Amino acid sequence: MKIPYHQIFYLVLLAASTLSCTPEEDPASVPPTLTLTSDFFPDVNAMTVSAGSQVIVKVFGKAGSDGFSSLSIADGETLISTNELTINGQVITSNPINLNTSEPFEMTVQWTSIKIAGKRTYNITLTDTKGLSVTKSCTVTTLITAPNIIEPQSDISLTRSPGTVVGTVFKVLTGTSDLASITFLLNGQAPANLSNLFVGQTQSPVTQNIISLTGNDAKGFNKEIYIKTPVVSGTYIYTVLFRGVNGLEASRKIQITVGTPVVSLTGILANAAGGSTVGGLDLDSGASTSISATNPTSATAEIRDEGQVNPPSDKTWRQQISGMNGAEIKYLIPGNNGLTPGFTIEGVLYKEEISVLWDRGISFTEKSGDGVRLISAQAKTGDLFIVKSGSKYYLAKVTEIKATASDDKDQMIFAVKW
Protein backbone atom coordinates (compact mmCIF):
# COMPACT_ATOMS: atom_id res chain seq x y z
CA MET A 1 0.00 0.00 0.00
CA LYS A 2 1.30 3.39 -0.84
CA ILE A 3 1.59 5.66 2.25
CA PRO A 4 0.86 9.31 1.70
CA TYR A 5 3.75 11.71 2.25
CA HIS A 6 2.03 13.53 5.10
CA GLN A 7 1.67 10.26 7.05
CA ILE A 8 5.34 9.38 6.50
CA PHE A 9 6.33 12.78 7.92
CA TYR A 10 4.11 12.18 10.94
CA LEU A 11 5.68 8.78 11.64
CA VAL A 12 9.25 10.21 11.45
CA LEU A 13 8.31 13.03 13.77
CA LEU A 14 6.79 10.56 16.26
CA ALA A 15 9.90 8.38 16.23
CA ALA A 16 12.21 11.35 16.85
CA SER A 17 10.04 12.52 19.67
CA THR A 18 10.08 9.05 21.27
CA LEU A 19 13.91 8.71 21.09
CA SER A 20 14.58 12.09 22.70
CA CYS A 21 12.31 11.61 25.73
CA THR A 22 14.00 10.38 29.09
CA PRO A 23 12.60 9.91 32.59
CA GLU A 24 13.09 12.76 35.11
CA GLU A 25 16.41 12.35 37.06
CA ASP A 26 16.61 12.20 40.95
CA PRO A 27 18.17 15.19 42.72
CA ALA A 28 22.00 14.78 43.09
CA SER A 29 22.98 12.78 46.24
CA VAL A 30 25.24 14.49 48.83
CA PRO A 31 28.15 12.39 50.16
CA PRO A 32 29.03 12.30 53.89
CA THR A 33 31.65 14.61 55.40
CA LEU A 34 34.65 13.48 57.40
CA THR A 35 37.11 15.39 59.66
CA LEU A 36 40.28 14.12 61.37
CA THR A 37 41.98 15.77 64.36
CA SER A 38 44.55 14.83 66.99
CA ASP A 39 44.81 15.78 70.66
CA PHE A 40 48.60 15.40 70.42
CA PHE A 41 49.49 17.11 67.15
CA PRO A 42 48.13 20.32 65.58
CA ASP A 43 48.31 18.79 62.11
CA VAL A 44 47.27 15.20 61.40
CA ASN A 45 49.57 15.25 58.39
CA ALA A 46 52.61 15.98 60.54
CA MET A 47 52.48 13.41 63.32
CA THR A 48 55.66 11.82 64.67
CA VAL A 49 55.65 8.78 66.96
CA SER A 50 58.00 6.03 68.03
CA ALA A 51 57.99 3.02 65.76
CA GLY A 52 55.55 0.40 67.03
CA SER A 53 53.72 2.85 69.28
CA GLN A 54 50.09 3.92 69.01
CA VAL A 55 48.64 6.43 66.56
CA ILE A 56 45.53 8.11 67.97
CA VAL A 57 43.18 10.11 65.76
CA LYS A 58 39.75 11.59 66.45
CA VAL A 59 37.25 11.00 63.64
CA PHE A 60 34.17 13.19 63.12
CA GLY A 61 31.49 12.10 60.64
CA LYS A 62 28.35 13.81 59.34
CA ALA A 63 25.84 12.23 56.98
CA GLY A 64 25.01 13.63 53.58
CA SER A 65 21.82 12.55 51.77
CA ASP A 66 21.92 9.06 53.22
CA GLY A 67 22.92 7.25 56.38
CA PHE A 68 26.32 5.79 57.05
CA SER A 69 27.28 2.33 55.93
CA SER A 70 30.89 1.79 57.03
CA LEU A 71 34.20 3.27 58.12
CA SER A 72 37.53 1.79 57.03
CA ILE A 73 41.10 2.48 58.19
CA ALA A 74 43.92 1.58 55.83
CA ASP A 75 47.70 1.78 55.72
CA GLY A 76 47.90 3.18 52.22
CA GLU A 77 45.59 0.84 50.33
CA THR A 78 45.86 -2.04 52.81
CA LEU A 79 43.26 -2.35 55.54
CA ILE A 80 44.76 -2.40 59.02
CA SER A 81 44.37 -5.71 60.84
CA THR A 82 41.73 -5.70 63.56
CA ASN A 83 44.23 -7.00 66.13
CA GLU A 84 46.11 -3.69 65.80
CA LEU A 85 43.03 -1.46 65.80
CA THR A 86 40.60 -0.17 68.44
CA ILE A 87 37.64 2.22 68.34
CA ASN A 88 37.01 4.24 71.51
CA GLY A 89 39.35 1.88 73.30
CA GLN A 90 37.31 -1.19 72.33
CA VAL A 91 38.52 -4.13 70.27
CA ILE A 92 36.73 -4.43 66.94
CA THR A 93 35.97 -7.53 64.88
CA SER A 94 35.95 -6.09 61.38
CA ASN A 95 37.57 -3.43 59.24
CA PRO A 96 35.61 -1.79 57.55
CA ILE A 97 33.43 -1.15 60.59
CA ASN A 98 29.66 -1.33 60.08
CA LEU A 99 27.95 1.87 61.20
CA ASN A 100 24.22 1.61 60.30
CA THR A 101 23.35 5.10 61.52
CA SER A 102 22.67 8.52 60.13
CA GLU A 103 23.49 10.47 63.30
CA PRO A 104 26.68 12.58 63.42
CA PHE A 105 29.41 10.76 65.31
CA GLU A 106 32.75 11.28 67.01
CA MET A 107 35.07 8.38 67.71
CA THR A 108 38.69 7.82 68.73
CA VAL A 109 40.52 5.51 66.35
CA GLN A 110 43.77 3.96 67.54
CA TRP A 111 46.18 1.65 65.74
CA THR A 112 49.76 0.44 65.97
CA SER A 113 52.29 2.29 63.85
CA ILE A 114 54.85 0.48 61.73
CA LYS A 115 57.80 -0.91 63.65
CA ILE A 116 60.49 0.60 61.43
CA ALA A 117 61.55 4.17 60.81
CA GLY A 118 59.74 5.85 57.95
CA LYS A 119 56.77 7.92 56.83
CA ARG A 120 53.35 6.44 56.12
CA THR A 121 50.03 7.78 54.88
CA TYR A 122 46.97 6.28 56.53
CA ASN A 123 43.59 6.63 54.83
CA ILE A 124 40.25 6.73 56.64
CA THR A 125 37.20 6.31 54.42
CA LEU A 126 33.56 6.94 55.35
CA THR A 127 30.92 5.38 53.05
CA ASP A 128 27.13 5.88 52.98
CA THR A 129 24.35 3.48 52.09
CA LYS A 130 24.31 4.67 48.47
CA GLY A 131 27.99 3.87 48.06
CA LEU A 132 29.14 7.48 48.13
CA SER A 133 32.32 7.92 50.17
CA VAL A 134 34.83 10.45 51.41
CA THR A 135 38.46 9.73 52.34
CA LYS A 136 40.73 11.75 54.62
CA SER A 137 44.40 11.02 55.15
CA CYS A 138 46.91 11.46 57.96
CA THR A 139 50.68 11.22 57.67
CA VAL A 140 52.73 9.60 60.40
CA THR A 141 56.51 9.63 60.68
CA THR A 142 57.81 6.80 62.83
CA LEU A 143 61.13 6.94 64.65
CA ILE A 144 63.10 4.11 66.18
CA THR A 145 64.61 5.01 69.56
CA ALA A 146 67.53 3.64 71.54
CA PRO A 147 67.40 2.17 75.04
CA ASN A 148 67.14 4.80 77.76
CA ILE A 149 69.56 4.57 80.69
CA ILE A 150 67.89 6.43 83.52
CA GLU A 151 70.38 5.35 86.18
CA PRO A 152 73.17 6.25 86.42
CA GLN A 153 72.11 9.55 84.91
CA SER A 154 75.58 10.33 83.59
CA ASP A 155 79.07 8.91 83.30
CA ILE A 156 80.84 8.11 86.57
CA SER A 157 84.36 8.95 87.69
CA LEU A 158 85.83 7.57 90.91
CA THR A 159 89.03 6.43 92.58
CA ARG A 160 89.44 3.09 94.34
CA SER A 161 92.16 0.91 95.77
CA PRO A 162 93.52 -2.01 93.69
CA GLY A 163 91.41 -5.16 93.78
CA THR A 164 88.26 -3.59 95.26
CA VAL A 165 84.75 -4.15 93.92
CA VAL A 166 82.75 -1.23 92.52
CA GLY A 167 79.00 -1.73 92.17
CA THR A 168 76.74 0.53 90.09
CA VAL A 169 72.97 0.16 89.70
CA PHE A 170 71.84 0.29 86.08
CA LYS A 171 68.19 1.05 85.33
CA VAL A 172 67.54 0.83 81.60
CA LEU A 173 64.25 1.28 79.76
CA THR A 174 63.54 -0.14 76.33
CA GLY A 175 63.37 2.13 73.32
CA THR A 176 61.15 1.07 70.44
CA SER A 177 62.25 -2.51 70.87
CA ASP A 178 63.21 -4.91 73.64
CA LEU A 179 66.72 -4.91 75.04
CA ALA A 180 68.96 -7.40 73.28
CA SER A 181 72.34 -7.42 75.04
CA ILE A 182 74.99 -5.87 77.26
CA THR A 183 78.53 -5.37 75.99
CA PHE A 184 81.60 -4.20 77.93
CA LEU A 185 84.49 -2.15 76.62
CA LEU A 186 87.73 -1.30 78.42
CA ASN A 187 89.45 1.86 77.17
CA GLY A 188 87.40 1.55 73.97
CA GLN A 189 88.30 -2.08 73.23
CA ALA A 190 86.84 -5.46 74.08
CA PRO A 191 88.51 -6.47 77.38
CA ALA A 192 90.90 -9.40 77.11
CA ASN A 193 90.00 -10.55 80.62
CA LEU A 194 86.37 -10.83 81.77
CA SER A 195 87.10 -12.20 85.24
CA ASN A 196 86.58 -8.83 86.94
CA LEU A 197 83.13 -8.14 85.44
CA PHE A 198 79.90 -9.23 87.12
CA VAL A 199 76.20 -8.71 86.38
CA GLY A 200 73.64 -8.87 89.18
CA GLN A 201 75.92 -10.73 91.58
CA THR A 202 79.58 -11.07 92.58
CA GLN A 203 79.97 -14.84 92.79
CA SER A 204 80.51 -15.61 89.11
CA PRO A 205 82.06 -13.28 86.54
CA VAL A 206 80.63 -13.03 83.06
CA THR A 207 81.93 -15.62 80.60
CA GLN A 208 81.21 -13.79 77.35
CA ASN A 209 81.35 -10.16 76.42
CA ILE A 210 78.02 -9.94 74.57
CA ILE A 211 75.50 -10.94 77.22
CA SER A 212 72.06 -11.69 75.81
CA LEU A 213 69.09 -10.28 77.70
CA THR A 214 65.92 -12.33 77.86
CA GLY A 215 62.68 -12.45 79.81
CA ASN A 216 62.11 -9.55 82.19
CA ASP A 217 65.60 -8.18 81.59
CA ALA A 218 64.72 -7.64 77.91
CA LYS A 219 61.67 -5.60 78.93
CA GLY A 220 63.68 -3.35 81.25
CA PHE A 221 66.98 -3.87 83.06
CA ASN A 222 67.38 -3.09 86.78
CA LYS A 223 70.46 -4.70 88.30
CA GLU A 224 73.87 -3.84 89.68
CA ILE A 225 76.91 -4.22 87.49
CA TYR A 226 80.11 -4.88 89.42
CA ILE A 227 83.69 -4.21 88.39
CA LYS A 228 86.67 -5.48 90.36
CA THR A 229 89.40 -2.89 89.97
CA PRO A 230 92.74 -3.93 88.45
CA VAL A 231 95.73 -4.43 90.73
CA VAL A 232 97.93 -2.03 88.77
CA SER A 233 97.54 1.70 89.45
CA GLY A 234 96.20 3.73 86.57
CA THR A 235 93.03 5.09 84.99
CA TYR A 236 90.62 2.60 83.42
CA ILE A 237 87.53 3.58 81.45
CA TYR A 238 84.85 0.90 81.32
CA THR A 239 81.94 1.35 78.91
CA VAL A 240 78.69 -0.52 79.64
CA LEU A 241 76.71 -0.66 76.40
CA PHE A 242 73.06 -1.69 76.07
CA ARG A 243 71.83 -2.63 72.60
CA GLY A 244 68.18 -2.88 71.57
CA VAL A 245 66.74 -5.46 69.22
CA ASN A 246 66.41 -2.60 66.71
CA GLY A 247 70.21 -2.21 66.78
CA LEU A 248 70.32 1.14 68.56
CA GLU A 249 72.55 1.54 71.59
CA ALA A 250 72.93 3.51 74.82
CA SER A 251 75.94 3.47 77.12
CA ARG A 252 77.54 4.84 80.27
CA LYS A 253 81.22 5.16 81.08
CA ILE A 254 82.67 4.29 84.48
CA GLN A 255 86.12 5.83 84.84
CA ILE A 256 88.02 4.17 87.66
CA THR A 257 91.33 5.52 88.85
CA VAL A 258 93.07 2.74 90.68
CA GLY A 259 94.79 4.70 93.40
CA THR A 260 97.51 4.45 95.96
CA PRO A 261 96.37 5.00 99.55
CA VAL A 262 97.51 8.33 100.96
CA VAL A 263 100.06 8.76 103.71
CA SER A 264 98.45 10.58 106.64
CA LEU A 265 100.46 12.32 109.34
CA THR A 266 100.49 15.22 111.77
CA GLY A 267 102.95 18.05 111.19
CA ILE A 268 103.94 20.80 113.60
CA LEU A 269 105.08 24.15 112.27
CA ALA A 270 106.77 26.25 114.97
CA ASN A 271 106.98 30.03 115.11
CA ALA A 272 110.10 30.98 113.17
CA ALA A 273 111.02 33.39 115.94
CA GLY A 274 111.47 30.43 118.29
CA GLY A 275 115.07 29.73 117.30
CA SER A 276 117.42 28.71 114.54
CA THR A 277 116.23 25.11 114.45
CA VAL A 278 112.54 25.81 113.83
CA GLY A 279 110.25 27.65 111.44
CA GLY A 280 109.93 25.02 108.70
CA LEU A 281 107.81 21.90 108.16
CA ASP A 282 108.73 18.76 106.24
CA LEU A 283 105.40 17.49 104.86
CA ASP A 284 106.86 14.06 104.03
CA SER A 285 107.62 13.28 107.67
CA GLY A 286 105.75 15.91 109.68
CA ALA A 287 109.00 16.98 111.27
CA SER A 288 109.84 20.55 112.22
CA THR A 289 112.86 21.94 110.41
CA SER A 290 114.97 25.01 110.36
CA ILE A 291 114.46 27.77 107.81
CA SER A 292 118.10 28.71 107.92
CA ALA A 293 120.07 27.62 104.86
CA THR A 294 123.00 26.76 107.13
CA ASN A 295 120.92 24.09 108.87
CA PRO A 296 120.72 20.84 106.83
CA THR A 297 117.13 20.19 107.93
CA SER A 298 115.98 23.26 106.03
CA ALA A 299 116.47 21.45 102.71
CA THR A 300 113.55 19.07 103.38
CA ALA A 301 110.88 21.64 104.25
CA GLU A 302 107.93 22.65 102.05
CA ILE A 303 106.28 25.17 104.40
CA ARG A 304 107.84 28.00 106.37
CA ASP A 305 106.43 30.18 109.11
CA GLU A 306 106.60 33.96 108.59
CA GLY A 307 107.53 34.69 112.21
CA GLN A 308 106.74 37.97 113.95
CA VAL A 309 105.07 41.11 112.61
CA ASN A 310 108.06 43.46 113.10
CA PRO A 311 110.71 42.31 115.51
CA PRO A 312 111.84 43.67 117.84
CA SER A 313 109.16 46.42 118.02
CA ASP A 314 106.17 44.14 117.41
CA LYS A 315 106.65 40.53 118.37
CA THR A 316 103.12 39.49 117.48
CA TRP A 317 103.15 36.11 115.75
CA ARG A 318 101.92 36.56 112.20
CA GLN A 319 100.38 33.06 111.87
CA GLN A 320 101.16 33.24 108.18
CA ILE A 321 102.85 30.67 105.97
CA SER A 322 104.70 30.52 102.64
CA GLY A 323 106.32 27.97 100.38
CA MET A 324 109.89 26.84 100.90
CA ASN A 325 112.53 25.22 98.69
CA GLY A 326 110.55 26.04 95.57
CA ALA A 327 107.27 24.70 96.92
CA GLU A 328 104.08 26.57 96.02
CA ILE A 329 101.00 26.83 98.24
CA LYS A 330 97.38 27.63 97.42
CA TYR A 331 94.21 27.89 99.46
CA LEU A 332 91.52 25.26 99.04
CA ILE A 333 88.11 26.76 99.79
CA PRO A 334 85.13 24.40 99.51
CA GLY A 335 82.51 25.78 97.13
CA ASN A 336 85.01 28.05 95.37
CA ASN A 337 86.92 27.73 92.09
CA GLY A 338 85.21 24.47 91.20
CA LEU A 339 85.87 22.75 94.53
CA THR A 340 82.73 21.00 95.75
CA PRO A 341 81.00 22.63 98.75
CA GLY A 342 81.26 19.42 100.73
CA PHE A 343 84.97 18.86 100.17
CA THR A 344 86.95 17.67 103.19
CA ILE A 345 90.51 16.47 103.60
CA GLU A 346 89.10 13.48 105.44
CA GLY A 347 87.35 12.34 102.25
CA VAL A 348 90.60 12.11 100.29
CA LEU A 349 91.85 8.54 100.42
CA TYR A 350 94.17 8.18 97.43
CA LYS A 351 97.26 9.99 96.24
CA GLU A 352 95.82 10.35 92.77
CA GLU A 353 92.97 12.45 94.16
CA ILE A 354 95.32 15.16 95.41
CA SER A 355 97.08 16.32 92.26
CA VAL A 356 93.80 17.08 90.45
CA LEU A 357 92.93 19.57 93.21
CA TRP A 358 95.82 21.87 92.32
CA ASP A 359 93.78 23.66 89.65
CA ARG A 360 91.00 24.16 92.23
CA GLY A 361 93.38 26.06 94.48
CA ILE A 362 93.37 29.85 94.97
CA SER A 363 96.76 31.55 94.86
CA PHE A 364 98.20 33.73 97.62
CA THR A 365 98.37 37.43 96.78
CA GLU A 366 100.09 39.02 99.82
CA LYS A 367 103.87 39.32 99.79
CA SER A 368 106.39 38.83 102.57
CA GLY A 369 108.06 41.84 104.17
CA ASP A 370 111.14 41.43 101.98
CA GLY A 371 108.94 41.12 98.89
CA VAL A 372 110.35 37.78 97.76
CA ARG A 373 107.60 35.37 98.81
CA LEU A 374 103.84 35.05 98.46
CA ILE A 375 102.35 34.49 101.88
CA SER A 376 98.97 33.48 103.24
CA ALA A 377 96.59 35.58 105.24
CA GLN A 378 96.56 34.94 108.97
CA ALA A 379 95.82 31.25 109.28
CA LYS A 380 93.00 29.94 111.42
CA THR A 381 91.80 26.53 112.49
CA GLY A 382 90.13 24.65 109.63
CA ASP A 383 92.06 26.36 106.81
CA LEU A 384 92.92 24.04 103.92
CA PHE A 385 95.96 24.28 101.68
CA ILE A 386 97.38 22.36 98.75
CA VAL A 387 101.15 22.32 98.31
CA LYS A 388 103.09 21.51 95.16
CA SER A 389 106.76 20.65 95.39
CA GLY A 390 108.17 19.56 92.06
CA SER A 391 105.87 16.77 90.88
CA LYS A 392 104.57 15.98 94.34
CA TYR A 393 101.35 17.29 95.91
CA TYR A 394 100.28 17.55 99.55
CA LEU A 395 97.08 18.47 101.39
CA ALA A 396 97.39 20.31 104.68
CA LYS A 397 94.65 21.32 107.09
CA VAL A 398 95.18 23.54 110.13
CA THR A 399 93.76 21.51 113.00
CA GLU A 400 95.03 23.58 115.92
CA ILE A 401 96.84 26.84 116.62
CA LYS A 402 98.80 27.13 119.85
CA ALA A 403 99.63 30.77 120.49
CA THR A 404 101.72 31.51 123.59
CA ALA A 405 101.86 35.07 124.90
CA SER A 406 104.87 34.64 127.16
CA ASP A 407 107.36 33.25 124.60
CA ASP A 408 107.89 32.36 120.95
CA LYS A 409 106.97 28.70 121.29
CA ASP A 410 103.83 29.18 119.18
CA GLN A 411 102.79 26.25 116.98
CA MET A 412 100.53 25.59 114.04
CA ILE A 413 99.45 21.97 113.82
CA PHE A 414 98.52 20.42 110.47
CA ALA A 415 96.80 17.25 109.34
CA VAL A 416 98.78 16.28 106.24
CA LYS A 417 98.02 13.87 103.43
CA TRP A 418 100.25 13.00 100.48
Side-chain angles (χ1 to χ4, degrees):
M1 180 180 66
K2 190 175 182 179
I3 301 175
Y5 286 115
H6 70 277
Q7 291 184 2
I8 293 174
F9 176 77
Y10 173 78
L11 290 173
V12 171
L13 183 62
L14 178 63
S17 175
T18 303
L19 289 173
S20 64
C21 183
T22 57
E24 184 179 352
E25 294 182 354
D26 294 333
S29 296
V30 178
T33 58
L34 180 63
T35 304
L36 307 182
T37 66
S38 170
D39 287 341
F40 306 99
F41 301 95
D43 183 355
V44 292
N45 282 304
M47 298 191 290
T48 301
V49 300
S50 296
S53 65
Q54 296 297 297
V55 179
I56 304 173
V57 174
K58 282 191 173 180
V59 177
F60 301 86
K62 185 177 181 181
S65 303
D66 299 280
F68 303 116
S69 172
S70 64
L71 182 77
S72 65
I73 302 95
D75 178 354
E77 301 299 324
T78 305
L79 292 173
I80 295 176
S81 171
T82 55
N83 58 18
E84 294 186 347
L85 183 63
T86 63
I87 302 293
N88 295 331
Q90 302 298 313
V91 176
I92 61 172
T93 58
S94 66
N95 181 19
I97 305 130
N98 293 325
L99 296 179
N100 296 324
T101 181
S102 59
E103 295 298 322
F105 68 84
E106 172 188 340
M107 62 176 63
T108 299
V109 179
Q110 182 170 330
W111 66 90
T112 306
S113 65
I114 58 171
K115 296 179 175 59
I116 60 174
K119 182 179 288 188
R120 294 291 255 262
T121 297
Y122 295 91
N123 296 312
I124 298 178
T125 300
L126 180 61
T127 304
D128 69 11
T129 55
K130 287 288 183 66
L132 295 179
S133 64
V134 59
T135 298
K136 295 290 184 179
S137 300
C138 58
T139 303
V140 178
T141 299
T142 52
L143 304 175
I144 57 173
T145 57
N148 180 18
I149 301 175
I150 59 174
E151 191 175 328
Q153 295 181 356
S154 59
D155 295 339
I156 296 172
S157 181
L158 46 83
T159 303
R160 293 291 184 271
S161 299
T164 58
V165 176
V166 176
T168 305
V169 173
F170 275 81
K171 294 182 180 179
V172 186
L173 304 179
T174 61
T176 50
S177 71
D178 286 353
L179 301 176
S181 63
I182 304 173
T183 302
F184 294 97
L185 299 176
L186 173 57
N187 297 330
Q189 305 294 324
N193 182 8
L194 300 175
S195 63
N196 62 341
L197 300 171
F198 304 81
V199 176
Q201 45 76 41
T202 57
Q203 287 73 43
S204 302
V206 301
T207 57
Q208 57 187 16
N209 192 25
I210 300 178
I211 303 164
S212 297
L213 297 177
T214 59
N216 290 335
D217 287 342
K219 302 297 182 183
F221 187 87
N222 186 3
K223 289 181 180 178
E224 276 193 290
I225 289 178
Y226 299 93
I227 300 171
K228 187 176 182 180
T229 61
V231 296
V232 179
S233 295
T235 298
Y236 302 84
I237 301 175
Y238 292 87
T239 302
V240 184
L241 187 151
F242 289 82
R243 181 177 286 109
V245 172
N246 59 19
L248 298 185
E249 301 171 345
S251 64
R252 289 285 183 269
K253 287 182 171 62
I254 302 175
Q255 178 175 304
I256 302 175
T257 299
V258 178
T260 308
V262 297
V263 174
S264 298
L265 54 87
T266 298
I268 299 176
L269 178 66
N271 184 345
S276 61
T277 60
V278 297
L281 175 60
D282 181 355
L283 295 176
D284 291 280
S285 64
S288 293
T289 74
S290 174
I291 59 172
S292 173
T294 60
N295 188 316
T297 63
S298 67
T300 64
E302 287 81 26
I303 295 180
R304 68 177 289 160
D305 176 68
E306 287 297 314
Q308 297 171 343
V309 172
N310 188 21
S313 61
D314 186 349
K315 295 188 176 183
T316 303
W317 180 34
R318 287 180 178 273
Q319 295 179 208
Q320 292 175 285
I321 63 172
S322 60
M324 190 171 166
N325 293 316
E328 301 175 70
I329 308 176
K330 291 181 179 181
Y331 300 105
L332 283 178
I333 304 176
N336 287 264
N337 201 30
L339 191 65
T340 59
F343 175 82
T344 64
I345 189 174
E346 291 79 11
V348 178
L349 304 177
Y350 306 99
K351 293 179 183 290
E352 291 78 7
E353 294 179 276
I354 299 176
S355 61
V356 297
L357 296 172
W358 179 253
D359 289 338
R360 300 286 177 261
I362 298 173
S363 299
F364 295 172
T365 57
E366 186 178 344
K367 285 195 172 182
S368 59
D370 55 12
V372 298
R373 298 181 301 280
L374 289 172
I375 64 176
S376 72
Q378 182 178 351
K380 59 185 182 299
T381 301
D383 282 351
L384 284 168
F385 302 94
I386 184 166
V387 182
K388 179 183 179 183
S389 179
S391 60
K392 198 168 184 178
Y393 296 85
Y394 308 81
L395 290 179
K397 176 184 177 181
V398 180
T399 59
E400 188 178 358
I401 293 178
K402 295 182 178 180
T404 59
S406 58
D407 55 33
D408 294 325
K409 303 300 181 183
D410 312 280
Q411 294 179 341
M412 194 178 301
I413 301 172
F414 290 91
V416 180
K417 287 186 173 183
W418 59 267

